[in-house]
Amino acid sequence: MPSSPSSAHWLSLVGSIWLQTINGPNADFPVYSSQLKDLKHISQVQLNFLAFASDAGKLFGWFSGVAALYLPLWLVAFVGAAFGLVGYGVQYLFLDSAGLQYWHLFLLTSLAGNGICWINTVCYLLCIRNFGSSSRVAVSLAASYLGLSAKVYTSLADSIPGLADSKAKAYLLLNAVVPMLVTVVVAPSLRVVDLTTGGSTDAAFLVMFAITLATGACAVVGSIGSTSNGLSSREHMVSLGVLLATPILIPLALRIRESLNKIRETKRENRIHDLGTDAIDAIERVVAIDIADVESKEGDDSAAEKPREEVGGLRLLRKLDFWLYFFSYMFSGTLGLVFLNNLGQIAESRRLAQTSTLVSLSSSFGFFGRLLPSFLDYYSAKSGYSISRTGSMASLMAPMAGAFFLLLKPSDLFLYLSTAVIGTCTGAITSVAVSATRELFGTENFGVNHNVVVTNIPVGSLCFGYFAAYLYQRGARGSHRCIGAACYQQTFVAWGAACAVGTLLCAALYARSRSFAGRLPPAPAPGGAVVRTSSCLARLANLVCRW
């Protein structure tokens, strides 16, 4: 019987899901950025640098990958939560004080942004190490919940009494406290567990997909409801909280099944304890031989699934594939994140009062975008094929480029539609990129490699964000604000063109690396070792019954 995830593995996945749900505190920045701009009397360019500061923390994200090699994963998660607690907590305490200067805000925001990398590293490594051949599906499932972060924080801010008085302080408080509280709750589950021989967990994945879809639907309905004022914020937060807690039922159900299996196994052993020693030895020899054949076959299959080579350290920077991957990611996923960081100012320039609604909409569709790869991985694996991650990324960049050009239309309808498309594609690209790093460069140095890859985020955030802020400030003509669709018109043209270039780069990367994703190793033949082992076990069962 093949190795499969147990209740302990699923408990670690649930812990990763909960961590990912709250690990995007920087995603709510557009909601309170305008108020922060007024409170600290800063320009649009300075505000953009604060958005960049959160991404700048990722320049040192590779420290978390190194730490994960030597420290227990729960401790790595606590370090990340502590960085966020200090970074956002100090801002909350001294926001109204003149002593908290702009450079303080920059450094504190960078520290909090670095903390996000530490928690992400823990979640990705847990999914990769605990789910074996199903790790792609597990990673995509966990990463999809990161898309809900902005929705969760905006719902909490709207539903908790007293937090709505000052948007900036409310969100800074939530960003500081919530990740630490969740980390304390899930810390016992953040451990690597060896795979066990047990029943299939396909049903568990299907149930998890159903729960995840229901959670995403609830988030979208809440975003639409807030627009029409037809849904209470508190009622929506309660329903969303219940759905987020529901995945814990899966490891509980698996634990009950494991306990029942142990009881049945104990009874079976009690019934055969008087069997003749020679008969038992003969059966054990046959089963051992056949199981060895199975393990040998599985070892060959695992070797076949490995990438072309394991790449790490400075060798990574000498690879052409790395630079194609780096810039295609920067011109797509990172560009989408820059757009989302500027949503507050874009909405303000178009005189939209409900910025939080637009942010919630992007968060909800980003969630579905992050979830899409897990569906494709699950069903493609069932059919015996593996989808190329680089090919998936290229196919997602094309509609994203079109959405930027669609934003040239001044209608609010096109703004909401483009936000949904960009949110979906950005979420899907960032989720696919986790597996793409493994596909291109192997798993041995994944923790460091992926954090090196995501250094494109601060680089792109600085370049694209500063460009947008400069054009915005020029359009304001000396005023504090720029009003009108023209404020971001040139920016959208440049962003759309950059995304089109990213599509071409990723297509070239796919052409170079498509051999990594082909036909999966074939299943054992009907007359192979698995069947022979099953026959031996069946004969043993018949012997026990006759006895």
Side-chain angles (χ1 to χ4, degrees):
M1 187 177 293
S3 298
S4 62
S6 65
S7 58
H9 299 92
W10 276 91
L11 187 61
S12 71
L13 178 59
V14 173
S16 299
I17 284 172
W18 289 350
L19 279 179
Q20 289 287 283
T21 303
I22 51 81
N23 198 35
N26 57 332
D28 59 32
F29 180 75
V31 181
Y32 67 90
S33 59
S34 295
Q35 188 181 43
L36 185 64
K37 183 178 178 181
D38 294 335
L39 281 173
K40 307 308 290 185
H41 306 289
I42 56 180
S43 67
Q44 179 63 28
V45 173
Q46 288 176 310
L47 186 69
N48 174 77
F49 275 115
L50 280 184
F52 158 72
S54 180
D55 296 327
K58 295 180 175 65
L59 287 171
F60 303 98
W62 56 272
F63 277 114
S64 63
V66 175
L69 297 175
Y70 303 100
L71 299 177
L73 293 181
W74 63 266
L75 183 56
V76 176
F78 266 114
V79 172
F83 285 173
L85 181 64
V86 174
Y88 288 117
V90 173
Q91 292 185 60
Y92 167 77
L93 293 174
F94 300 101
L95 185 63
D96 297 326
S97 171
L100 186 67
Q101 299 179 19
Y102 177 78
W103 67 273
H104 294 142
L105 291 175
F106 187 93
L107 292 179
L108 290 169
T109 304
S110 297
L111 179 65
N114 183 254
I116 293 174
C117 296
W118 290 69
I119 295 179
N120 277 340
T121 298
V122 170
C123 296
Y124 297 154
L125 288 178
L126 278 175
C127 293
I128 291 170
R129 295 174 181 174
N130 278 349
F131 280 84
S133 60
S134 302
S135 60
R136 276 188 174 187
V137 182
V139 167
S140 298
L141 269 173
S144 66
Y145 279 81
L146 183 62
L148 282 182
S149 283
K151 178 62 183 174
V152 169
Y153 283 108
T154 54
S155 298
L156 283 172
D158 292 338
S159 60
I160 298 178
L163 287 183
D165 298 337
S166 172
K167 276 188 178 181
K169 297 202 73 172
Y171 282 100
L172 288 172
L173 176 62
L174 291 173
N175 292 349
V177 173
V178 172
M180 179 57 76
L181 293 178
V182 174
T183 302
V184 170
V185 172
V186 305
S189 69
L190 305 180
R191 57 194 180 93
V192 177
V193 186
D194 293 334
L195 288 172
T196 58
T197 301
S200 171
T201 56
D202 285 348
F205 274 115
L206 292 176
V207 172
M208 189 67 233
F209 282 137
I211 295 172
T212 305
L213 286 173
T215 306
C218 178
V220 172
V221 169
S223 301
I224 298 173
S226 62
T227 304
S228 60
N229 294 320
L231 185 67
S232 165
S233 296
R234 194 169 301 176
E235 291 174 354
H236 172 62
M237 188 64 236
V238 170
S239 60
L240 187 60
V242 169
L243 286 170
L244 288 172
T246 303
I248 195 63
L249 297 177
I250 294 177
L252 288 176
L254 289 176
R255 181 60 181 170
I256 292 173
R257 187 180 74 174
E258 291 165 6
S259 299
L260 293 176
N261 287 340
K262 286 183 179 179
I263 293 173
R264 284 195 291 267
E265 184 65 27
T266 301
K267 290 181 178 179
R268 186 180 298 112
E269 290 176 356
N270 290 337
R271 293 177 62 184
I272 65 173
H273 75 280
D274 289 331
L275 270 176
T277 304
D278 294 339
I280 293 177
D281 288 343
I283 293 173
E284 285 180 347
R285 282 195 297 272
V286 176
V287 173
I289 292 171
D290 288 342
I291 288 177
D293 292 341
V294 174
E295 290 175 348
S296 175
K297 178 66 176 177
E298 289 177 349
D300 294 340
D301 290 349
S302 298
E305 292 179 356
K306 288 184 178 179
R308 180 173 50 190
E309 59 179 329
E310 294 285 344
V311 181
L314 294 178
R315 289 183 60 219
L316 184 70
L317 303 181
R318 293 196 291 266
K319 292 286 183 179
L320 176 60
D321 287 352
F322 169 78
W323 293 109
L324 288 173
Y325 182 34
F326 185 92
F327 284 109
S328 62
Y329 192 152
M330 187 171 76
F331 291 163
S332 56
T334 298
L335 188 55
L337 294 175
V338 173
F339 168 78
L340 298 178
N341 283 338
N342 282 270
L343 263 185
Q345 305 306 310
I346 294 172
E348 184 183 66
S349 68
R350 299 199 179 195
R351 300 183 186 277
L352 282 181
Q354 294 292 332
T355 306
S356 61
T357 300
L358 200 61
V359 173
S360 295
L361 186 70
S362 66
S363 176
S364 301
F365 277 91
F367 168 79
F368 280 111
R370 290 171 180 271
L371 181 62
L372 180 62
S374 63
F375 279 113
L376 296 177
D377 283 334
Y378 182 80
Y379 287 105
S380 63
K382 290 293 181 184
S383 65
Y385 287 90
S386 176
I387 299 175
S388 168
R389 319 311 285 166
T390 51
S392 299
M393 291 176 67
S395 64
L396 289 164
M397 294 176 190
M400 190 173 171
F404 280 119
F405 290 113
L406 196 62
L407 283 166
L408 297 175
K409 299 287 186 180
S411 170
D412 290 347
L413 174 63
F414 288 113
L415 175 60
Y416 281 103
L417 179 61
S418 296
T419 299
V421 172
I422 294 172
T424 302
C425 294
T426 300
I429 289 170
T430 53
S431 178
V432 168
V434 179
S435 296
T437 303
R438 294 177 57 214
E439 182 180 280
L440 291 169
F441 311 118
T443 59
E444 286 185 10
N445 302 287
F446 170 81
V448 176
N449 287 349
H450 192 65
N451 279 296
V452 171
V453 169
V454 297
T455 56
N456 80 84
I457 295 178
V459 174
S461 179
L462 176 62
C463 297
F464 295 124
Y466 178 79
F467 176 76
Y470 171 76
L471 292 180
Y472 178 95
Q473 203 70 35
R474 190 177 68 175
R477 301 181 186 277
S479 175
H480 195 54
R481 286 184 172 83
C482 179
I483 303 298
C487 296
Y488 281 93
Q489 191 168 28
Q490 291 178 301
T491 300
F492 292 147
V493 172
W495 286 356
C499 195
V501 172
T503 306
L504 296 177
L505 292 176
C506 200
L509 178 61
Y510 167 67
R512 289 174 54 86
S513 62
R514 58 186 173 182
S515 60
F516 285 87
R519 185 77 182 176
L520 291 178
V530 172
V531 174
R532 291 198 302 273
T533 303
S534 300
S535 300
C536 294
L537 295 176
R539 289 196 296 272
L540 174 60
N542 291 332
L543 179 59
V544 171
C545 292
R546 288 196 300 272
W547 182 265

